[in-house]
Amino acid sequence: MSYEFILTDVRGDGAIKTGVITLNRPKQLNALNDGLMDELGAAMQAYDADEAIGCIVLTGSEKAFAAGADIGAMSRWDYMDVYKSDYITRNWETIRRIRKPVIAAVAGFALGGGCELAMMCDMVFAAETAKFGQPEIKLGIIPGAGGTQRLPRAVGKAKAMDLALTARMMDAAEAERAGLVSRVVPAAELMAVTLAAAQTICEHSLPSVMMAKECVNRAYEGPLAEGIQFERRMFHSLFATEDQKEGMDAFVNKRKPVFRHR
Ligand code: DAK
């Protein structure tokens, strides 16, 4: 399938591989317009449905992961335009329905909707050049794709307020200290490190990977007691898989497991 605003590529040398999606509107610093978000959702869903894919990596350019929602397009819309078209919910939230792990590999700007898109992914790996921010307040709006909710959960109220109210940017080191980012690496190593982590994930049993993702997201999105109960049910259910028998038998017999992702 060919796309106008993104590039897709399959990477890895194992039986299960990584689907890479690269945002590709370089002249606009990957500003996220409706067409791009439709394509991103379609590409994510295609990888999610592909049995040969175990992990998805979402990345941008050296200069920008994404500099936000497309301000030029938004500047023409009024209340009824965004309300009636269900702006954001309609296509941005496709990524939240993806069941395989999604890693954001961020270099350069991740601002506004770009920062929100990174936060919708399961992990953020950052180049030392990465800059995160929610500068919507400068445009007379507020974060509208989950930023006011996910940012405080990731970095705490103090920093979330600071970023959303002053519009300042946070560099990669600060983002890692604050808990938004899992790893910071030199820009030249970003894709290699991210693809290596993705490959490691691909080698694990896919059902347990998917259930671990679902459980961690419960912790992030719901109350503790419900999350613990959900995790316990998922944990019990993994004893019904062939991969649990294989993984434990391999450990006991000191050999490498051969997962069949069942
Ligand atoms: N949209 C459209 N074009 C953008 C853009 C954006 N967000 N960001 C950059 N560009 C374009 C610039 O206009 C410029 O285009 P030309 O002039 O060359 O045609 C080109 O990309 C290069 O940008 P600069 O020349 O500005 O590059 P610099 O290196 O000087 O500056 C910058 C880089 C990232 C600091 C600067 O471009 C910048 O401040 N960009 C805007 C960042 C921003 O404000 N982002 C937040 C966007 S608002 C909602 C839900 C969600 C949202 C809204 C509503 N609802 C539910 C209703 C989300 C909103 C946002 O994300």
Side-chain angles (χ1 to χ4, degrees):
M1 181 146 182
S2 74
Y3 298 103
E4 185 181 353
F5 302 116
I6 61 172
L7 304 170
T8 58
D9 187 20
V10 172
R11 303 288 291 271
D13 44 24
I16 306 289
K17 297 185 168 48
T18 298
V20 179
I21 302 172
T22 305
L23 305 175
N24 189 34
R25 291 187 81 205
K27 287 194 189 124
Q28 295 83 11
L29 303 182
N30 293 331
L32 305 164
N33 64 8
D34 240 16
L36 186 154
M37 294 312 293
D38 283 342
E39 290 186 0
L40 177 59
M44 289 254 176
Q45 283 176 324
Y47 283 146
D48 211 29
D50 185 340
E51 293 212 345
I53 296 293
C55 189
I56 300 167
V57 169
L58 175 61
T59 193
S61 69
E62 247 172 63
K63 182 154 188 208
F65 176 73
D70 191 314
I71 301 170
M74 283 190 293
S75 66
R76 296 187 291 274
W77 296 338
D78 65 16
Y79 175 66
M80 275 304 134
D81 292 326
V82 293
Y83 181 74
K84 280 170 43 188
S85 70
D86 206 9
Y87 179 50
I88 298 294
T89 314
R90 190 178 63 75
N91 48 8
W92 284 56
E93 292 190 345
T94 307
I95 184 170
R96 293 187 55 226
R97 294 193 291 276
I98 301 303
R99 300 177 72 205
K100 291 172 183 168
V102 182
I103 309 178
V106 175
F109 299 110
L111 302 178
C115 186
E116 291 170 308
L117 180 60
M119 289 192 289
M120 287 183 206
C121 298
D122 301 309
M123 280 188 267
V124 183
F125 286 11
E128 286 164 347
T129 57
K131 287 192 188 328
F132 299 87
Q134 299 289 163
E136 289 90 339
I137 205 89
K138 289 203 288 188
L139 302 169
I141 57 170
I142 63 172
T148 65
Q149 304 305 300
R150 291 199 179 91
L151 193 59
R153 280 171 172 76
V155 305
K157 175 183 168 184
K159 253 184 217 300
M161 282 287 187
D162 185 359
L163 293 172
L165 299 183
T166 71
R168 82 169 171 88
M169 292 184 211
M170 175 163 72
D171 68 18
E174 183 181 358
E176 187 188 28
R177 280 198 306 278
L180 181 64
V181 157
S182 341
R183 305 187 198 180
V184 178
V185 297
E189 292 167 26
L190 178 65
M191 280 314 282
V193 169
T194 308
L195 289 169
Q199 174 73 33
T200 301
I201 291 168
C202 289
E203 286 165 15
H204 295 147
S205 164
L206 184 60
S208 51
V209 164
M210 288 167 64
M211 287 192 203
K213 161 174 171 155
E214 209 178 343
C215 287
V216 174
N217 279 333
R218 284 285 166 128
Y220 193 61
E221 291 169 3
L224 178 64
E226 198 215 312
I228 296 282
Q229 179 68 7
F230 184 79
E231 179 201 77
R232 199 60 32 84
R233 292 284 169 254
M234 291 286 117
F235 179 77
H236 287 164
S237 73
L238 281 165
F239 284 74
T241 65
E242 289 175 20
D243 285 351
Q244 174 267 334
K245 304 283 174 296
E246 170 62 13
M248 293 192 180
D249 185 73
F251 179 83
V252 169
N253 291 300
K254 302 190 187 305
R255 61 177 177 82
K256 204 169 182 289
V258 181
F259 290 126
R260 299 182 56 222
H261 309 290
R262 306 183 51 83

